[in-house]
Amino acid sequence: MIRFVGRRAVELAIVFVGVTFIIYLMVFTLPGDPIAALGGDRPLPEAVQAQLRAQYHLDEPVWLQYLRYVGGLFTGDLGTGFDGRPVGDRMAARWPVTITLALTAWAIEVVIGVVLGLVAGLRSGGLVDRTVLVGTVLATSIPVFVLGVTAQLVFGLQLGWFPIAGTSAGWPTAYLLPAIVIALFGLASVTRLMRGSVVDTMRSDFVRTLTAKGMPRRNIVGVHVMRNSVAPVLTFLAIDLGYLLGGTVVIEAIFNLPGIGALLFDAIKTHEGPTVVGVATALILIFLATSVVVDLINSVLDPRIRHE
């Protein structure tokens, strides 16, 4: 186990350095001068611009800037925005909205996805199964921004069931509609994964043996089939939780939710390089941490993974 954990730690460290350096390079080598843009229509004096570039080390080679940035990460410093506020402090005020949205969407995926997949798998080839499969294909075929805008128009403006923007209505009213939209893709994946796993399990020899011995079907499904079918679904759900925490940029922008995604979206629009890099780094760390947890759980459940 120690060798497995050490190997995974080295791999993830390489991934982290590679991905963050690429992002840093893309952000700070793009055409345009973010310092000059701070003045808007009234350009800042050259002396002020030079002072700001020196303050944010923008007058240094990009590789040296990156090394300074990584060094600050070891002390928990995600950088400082051009407005003088630490990126970590700006993110701290936004996390509650994003976490609430992500957990709401994740709960929808867990409950509805597992139930639909189970029902479709038990009725494989029937009308319910075909309807569920068609629905999952449609859910994964429509871009999330199209779903978001359509949901606003239909369920927000026309029907008036949900608020179309903001969080003033509180949970769950303000979060339910965007959570449903962002959960649809993961919901379809969970449903299909659960359905396929149930179908495979129902065809297993041990299920036929239990049926031949006269065990009630509800016991076979509720205990044995569920236990053997849910493992791959749990792995996907664990990874998807990390995706939901970092993949809310479009939805938060559409529904005007003041979360991490909206902060990243605004930073990109205003060319706030330090904020873009800081938020991206935090999201990368979440993905990597989720990956580590999933790998450890899988290695405990299946020791063969440690030797692969």
Side-chain angles (χ1 to χ4, degrees):
M1 175 63 80
I2 295 178
R3 291 180 59 188
F4 172 75
V5 174
R7 186 172 69 249
R8 291 296 293 141
V10 172
E11 293 172 354
L12 293 177
I14 295 174
V15 171
F16 174 78
V17 172
V19 174
T20 53
F21 180 71
I22 291 174
I23 293 176
Y24 199 96
L25 196 65
M26 292 174 62
V27 170
F28 287 102
T29 58
L30 288 175
D33 188 349
I35 297 298
L38 291 177
D41 296 332
R42 301 179 63 181
L44 297 175
E46 288 295 333
V48 175
Q49 293 187 33
Q51 180 183 356
L52 289 174
R53 290 191 185 94
Q55 178 181 343
Y56 291 100
H57 307 288
L58 298 179
D59 55 350
E60 299 176 351
V62 67
W63 63 267
L64 183 56
Q65 297 178 41
Y66 177 74
L67 290 179
R68 288 182 182 276
Y69 177 72
V70 173
L73 292 178
F74 287 102
T75 62
D77 182 13
L78 289 171
T80 303
F82 291 143
D83 59 355
R85 297 175 57 192
V87 176
D89 292 347
R90 298 181 65 183
M91 293 180 63
R94 304 282 191 126
W95 273 122
V97 173
T98 296
I99 291 175
T100 303
L101 176 61
L103 290 180
T104 304
W106 194 70
I108 293 172
E109 291 184 14
V110 172
V111 176
I112 300 179
V114 170
V115 172
L116 286 179
L118 177 62
V119 173
L122 294 176
R123 302 185 180 183
S124 177
L127 178 62
V128 173
D129 182 33
R130 296 180 185 277
T131 302
V132 169
L133 289 178
V134 171
T136 58
V137 171
L138 289 175
T140 56
S141 301
I142 306 174
V144 66
F145 66 88
V146 175
L147 287 173
V149 174
T150 303
Q152 277 185 322
L153 291 175
V154 175
F155 300 106
L157 291 177
Q158 295 180 4
L159 298 178
W161 292 355
F162 301 98
I164 62 173
T167 59
S168 58
W171 188 90
T173 306
Y175 291 89
L176 195 54
L177 186 59
I180 292 173
V181 173
I182 197 176
L184 278 179
F185 185 85
L187 172 62
S189 300
V190 171
T191 300
R192 295 174 70 91
L193 187 60
M194 184 67 184
R195 182 255 180 202
S197 187
V198 169
V199 170
D200 291 340
T201 305
M202 290 297 292
R203 295 172 179 171
S204 301
D205 292 336
F206 80 91
V207 172
R208 287 194 288 266
T209 301
L210 293 175
T211 303
K213 288 183 176 181
M215 178 177 288
R217 181 177 174 83
R218 64 176 180 274
N219 291 349
I220 295 176
V221 173
V223 178
H224 300 280
V225 174
M226 281 293 294
R227 184 174 60 188
N228 287 274
S229 301
V230 79
V233 178
L234 291 178
T235 300
F236 173 83
L237 286 170
I239 297 174
D240 195 52
L241 180 59
Y243 162 76
L244 290 173
L245 286 171
T248 60
V249 177
V250 175
I251 292 300
E252 288 183 2
I254 292 174
F255 288 90
N256 195 27
L257 301 175
I260 295 296
L263 175 63
L264 179 59
F265 183 74
D266 293 339
I268 293 174
K269 288 194 302 181
T270 57
H271 302 286
E272 267 273 357
T275 303
V276 173
V277 173
V279 173
T281 300
L283 298 181
I284 291 169
L285 288 173
I286 290 174
F287 280 116
L288 294 180
T290 305
S291 176
V292 169
V293 172
V294 171
D295 287 343
L296 291 177
I297 292 175
N298 287 335
S299 67
V300 172
L301 296 176
D302 187 358
R304 294 174 297 179
I305 296 177
R306 306 175 199 170
H307 306 288
E308 292 181 355

